[in-house]
Amino acid sequence: RQYNTVSYVLRALIFVSCSSKSVIPVKMVKSRPARTPADTPVVKEATVNLHKRLHGIGFKKRAPRAVREIKAFVGKQMKTADVRIDASLNKFVWHKGIRNVPYRVRVRMERKRNEDEDAKELMYTLVKHVDVALDTATGKKVKGGFKNLLTSKTETAVDEE
């Protein structure tokens, strides 16, 4: 068999020989970036693939299901049960009608502190639509759309107290 050398090396066991001529298997482990705690305000950008989440869903249920799927995706990513959809994102999901939901949507997820004293949750997430056709730095149109976009933590939000 021929193996892809990079993936084979990452998954393979490397054998280190000791002075006693015995072989000890050592597994390679990739280091992960440090995670932010779930009670810290943070902002992330991600692309939600609605096409795969709506496969097999009936026409008259597609847009409402898309909103629910976005909420589920964001709740999983940001570890909050309280997810609030911004009006711009809702308008984007529905702009082609109930049946023809866009295949992908780029969202900005902001985990914020809940100011309500009666709230069950300490944090909530506000989800906004990000237009991929415009470059955020220059404001000009960009070719390529969703290609080469990654989930990114843009900045850590500061508490305004």
Side-chain angles (χ1 to χ4, degrees), residues 91-143:
K91 190 167 187 156
F92 179 75
V93 170
W94 282 84
H95 86 278
K96 289 165 61 177
I98 195 167
R99 301 188 324 171
N100 302 317
V101 178
Y103 283 174
R104 286 177 183 80
V105 61
R106 187 81 175 165
V107 294
R108 175 173 285 122
M109 307 171 285
E110 300 177 22
R111 187 168 56 207
K112 297 181 173 185
R113 290 206 188 282
N114 218 337
E115 301 298 326
D116 231 0
E117 293 90 26
D118 311 348
K120 296 177 191 174
E121 303 291 327
L122 177 69
M123 307 293 283
Y124 73 94
T125 303
L126 179 64
V127 190
K128 296 180 181 178
H129 176 247
V130 177
D131 191 10
V132 292
L134 298 176
D135 184 18
T136 54
T138 60
K140 295 181 181 177
K141 287 199 172 191
V142 180
K143 285 186 178 179

Side-chain angles (χ1 to χ4, degrees), residues 7 9 11 13-14 28 49 54 59 65-66 80-81 86 89 92 94-95 98 101 103 111 114 118 121 123 129 149 154:
S7 63
V9 169
R11 293 188 182 117
L13 295 176
I14 298 175
M28 289 181 66
N49 186 350
L54 298 177
F59 277 156
R65 174 66 78 91
T80 58
D86 189 49
L89 177 59
F92 179 75
W94 282 84
H95 86 278
I98 195 167
V101 178
Y103 283 174
R111 187 168 56 207
N114 218 337
D118 311 348
E121 303 291 327
M123 307 293 283
H129 176 247
L149 290 177
T154 53

Side-chain angles (χ1 to χ4, degrees), residues 62-79:
R62 289 174 77 87
R65 174 66 78 91
V67 173
R68 285 198 305 270
E69 290 291 338
I70 291 170
K71 279 187 170 189
F73 173 82
V74 172
K76 209 176 219 185
Q77 289 285 315
M78 302 299 276
K79 297 178 180 65

